[in-house]
Amino acid sequence: FSPILVQNELNSAECIKLASPVFGMTSIMLIEAYILGRPVVSIQPNLKGDDPLLLSMLGLVPIVTSDQALSVSFSKPAEPVDFRWQFDQQAFLNFIRQIG
């Protein structure tokens, strides 16, 4: 791996495109990378409980808790799960009215 440190030069999509695998700590970029089919690893040093990242809770991505675990093998990108959803416009508008 060749680490690249990015501050504000690139947006998240550009970072994901450059990275393979994508390492992170419970971030939306990890979820974006997974959906885009990139290899993803959740880094949780000294984790004492469950990893809060939904992808690792579901067993879809590996968790690294120590530097010894960095030898995780990445033979192919993760295959995104078929996320089924349905947008209920009326329920959404009712929710917005209630909180507004």
Side-chain angles (χ1 to χ4, degrees):
F1 301 111
S2 298
I4 300 171
L5 299 178
V6 178
Q7 292 182 349
N8 294 321
E9 306 95 327
L10 304 173
N11 64 38
S12 63
E14 292 168 325
C15 291
I16 290 168
K17 183 177 178 183
L18 288 174
S20 182
V22 176
F23 292 92
M25 297 179 71
T26 316
S27 73
I28 193 65
M29 278 181 68
L30 289 180
I31 295 170
E32 289 177 60
Y34 178 80
I35 290 170
L36 293 171
R38 306 296 289 175
V40 173
V41 178
S42 178
I43 298 178
Q44 302 297 327
N46 302 316
L47 181 67
K48 300 296 183 208
D50 291 334
D51 184 352
L53 179 67
L54 180 62
L55 296 172
S56 28
M57 282 193 283
L58 295 173
L60 300 173
V61 301
I63 302 169
V64 171
T65 57
S66 69
D67 57 351
Q68 287 109 7
L70 280 175
S71 63
V72 177
S73 152
F74 301 100
S75 56
K76 63 177 187 167
E79 294 183 23
V81 173
D82 182 18
F83 292 106
R84 296 178 188 263
W85 61 276
Q86 179 179 347
F87 180 69
D88 184 337
Q89 182 178 4
Q90 194 56 50
F92 177 73
L93 291 174
N94 289 340
F95 171 74
I96 295 297
R97 287 184 193 108
Q98 288 176 0
I99 63 171

